[in-house]
Amino acid sequence: MYLTHLECPRCGRKHDAGVPQNLCGCGSPLLARYDLAAVAAAVEPERFGLRPADLWRYRELLPVTDPACVTTLGEGWTPMLRAPAYGDQVGVDDLLVKDEGLMPTGSFKARGAAVGVSRARELGIRRIAMPTNGNAGAAWATYAARAGMGATIAMPLSAPAICRRECVAAGADLRLVDGLIGDAGRQVTALVAASSGAIFDAGTLREPYRLEGKKTMGYELVEQLGWQVPDVIVYPTGGGVGLIGIHKALGELRDLGWIEDKLPRLVAVQSTGCAPIVRAFAAGEDRARPWADARTVAFGITVPAPLGDELILAALRATAGTAIAVDDDELLADLRDFAAWEGLLLCPEGAACLTAVRKLRAGGWIRAGERVVVLNTGAGVKYPETVDVSGVPVLPR
């Protein structure tokens, strides 16, 4: 066990990692810290290739001590696919897509759920509750069932129907809310407060271990590139845990001496219908103001007031990255074009990243010859409405 403590990135206060923790007293999410010198002495990066192809191959850099508490469905080690046809169209010769749609629950949320549920199980938590835009709730409900834990999931009524079905199938207590994720969050806060400690709040960044699962995307893409980093990583950003996690992973790899000092430029992609991070980044602000009347077809990034706004903005600035918003019509067009040229149906959030790449290359922010990695965070088949088939002819019998 190389986990030493939890740390507040805002005020610097240290917290005990041996008991369940939510936010710091100052209101900031907590980050898990490890004895990286001991990790470096215990394992070399070449060893990971000899281990099973899942995220638990990085166990020295994960927070679960007891192997009996590891709750797994084989998550992790998703493919990194080259996209030469689309890349040629947009002027990015070295374009790669890391396809998280092949995770057990059809999205990258399985990473956070696997590690978060495993650590909750180790800490003696018996029931979790969380608000969700869909995929996270489906993943946490599934892994909670796998661990023998209870789960209460609050989800906007407009979330993808498949996600609510996944929650029900996993035996979760599903609660639909006529509103956005913030409205679902208020329902969960009230439920947890009334439970006298029987229900643990596992909402986005309200516990520290979902982030630890998500950061393994960063470890994997670097290992898959032969322990080299790309020039740019493009990430769809709602709550931002994946982007924060990848930045954390890259920092840990640098401190371990396994990669060089120069980090990839991180790009946060949002919708023009919900872009609080883009607005704050452009204004040079450290916090994001809530976005009014948020709406986009990329439902997973419909987060008007992300709790991790400070950490997202800090990661972008620390890596000389940027934030960009794209229109729904454009991302849907790129989704269809990419499927036709590359044979892979992306989720709308992943497609938004393609639109961002196209725009950033056209504007010169992405330079010729740079290696660019796009994260497709979910399976396109979970969003059938993104492809219009109304014009397909029906043949007579």
Side-chain angles (χ1 to χ4, degrees):
M1 180 65 166
Y2 298 94
L3 177 68
T4 57
H5 63 281
L6 301 173
E7 181 179 274
C8 176
R10 182 187 295 167
C11 72
R13 180 183 172 190
K14 294 182 178 180
H15 296 257
D16 184 0
V19 297
Q21 299 277 8
N22 287 116
L23 302 178
C24 179
C26 72
S28 171
L30 299 176
L31 300 179
R33 298 303 187 194
Y34 299 83
D35 184 346
L36 295 180
V39 171
V43 63
E44 297 178 349
E46 294 77 13
R47 290 266 303 276
F48 296 124
L50 304 175
R51 295 177 178 180
D54 59 33
L55 66 78
W56 299 101
R57 69 202 278 128
Y58 308 112
R59 55 182 175 268
E60 288 87 356
L61 292 159
L62 293 173
V64 183
T65 306
D66 184 357
C69 291
V70 170
T71 305
T72 182
L73 291 166
E75 57 287 333
W77 204 247
T78 53
M80 186 100 78
L81 305 172
R82 294 196 175 277
Y86 185 87
D88 181 65
Q89 292 292 323
V90 301
V92 179
D93 294 334
D94 198 358
L95 177 65
L96 301 106
V97 175
K98 187 158 176 61
D99 187 15
E100 293 289 290
L102 297 181
M103 296 292 284
T105 59
S107 85
F108 77 121
K109 303 290 188 177
R111 293 182 186 269
V115 176
V117 165
S118 296
R119 184 60 175 160
R121 184 179 182 185
E122 189 168 48
L123 293 174
I125 294 167
R126 300 304 306 157
R127 173 171 285 275
I128 58 97
M130 59 181 298
T132 177
N133 269 331
N135 277 318
W140 281 74
T142 298
Y143 280 86
R146 182 78 167 171
M149 295 169 55
T152 297
I153 308 296
M155 185 184 299
L157 189 61
S158 53
I162 183 60
C163 297
R164 76 179 69 163
R165 295 179 187 276
E166 288 178 276
C167 292
V168 171
D173 169 23
L174 176 64
R175 305 187 180 194
L176 298 177
V177 179
D178 187 9
L180 295 175
I181 191 170
D183 302 299
R186 285 185 282 276
Q187 296 285 337
V188 169
T189 298
L191 177 69
V192 170
S195 74
S196 301
I199 302 176
F200 181 74
D201 188 345
T204 301
L205 290 174
R206 291 186 179 278
E207 58 79 49
Y209 302 114
R210 177 193 302 217
L211 176 62
E212 296 304 289
K214 300 281 188 68
K215 77 178 182 183
T216 59
M217 289 185 289
Y219 295 155
E220 283 183 22
L221 70 85
V222 169
E223 184 179 359
Q224 287 170 322
L225 294 176
W227 298 100
Q228 301 294 315
V229 299
D231 296 291
V232 178
I233 297 175
V234 186
Y235 198 88
T237 304
V241 183
L243 187 144
I244 298 165
I246 289 172
H247 184 239
K248 185 175 188 288
L250 293 169
E252 290 170 348
L253 292 173
R254 182 178 58 187
D255 291 346
L256 285 161
W258 294 352
I259 61 173
E260 297 181 356
D261 287 343
K262 183 181 178 182
L263 298 184
R265 308 196 307 278
L266 298 178
V267 179
V269 182
Q270 298 197 298
S271 164
T272 53
C274 184
I277 295 298
V278 175
R279 182 173 61 190
F281 183 83
E285 297 168 347
D286 295 327
R287 301 297 305 269
R289 290 172 283 115
W291 190 271
D293 193 27
R295 59 186 66 198
T296 171
V297 68
F299 201 76
I301 55 176
T302 313
V303 182
L307 180 61
D309 56 348
E310 288 175 284
L311 296 172
I312 298 166
L313 292 163
L316 297 180
R317 293 182 175 123
T319 62
T322 193
I324 182 172
V326 302
D327 294 333
D328 280 1
D329 288 346
E330 291 183 295
L331 75 86
L332 290 174
D334 282 310
L335 182 151
R336 291 189 293 271
D337 287 345
F338 190 85
W341 289 333
E342 300 289 356
L344 177 61
L345 180 61
L346 304 183
C347 66
E349 296 80 11
C353 292
L354 295 178
T355 306
V357 168
R358 177 166 55 79
K359 288 178 170 293
L360 291 171
R361 178 67 187 103
W365 192 88
I366 292 176
R367 297 180 286 273
E370 289 195 308
R371 172 172 284 179
V372 179
V373 174
V374 161
L375 273 293
N376 177 48
T377 50
V381 294
K382 297 186 80 170
Y383 305 85
E385 70 283 354
T386 60
V387 179
D388 183 9
V389 295
S390 60
V392 176
V394 178
L395 302 178
R397 294 182 181 179

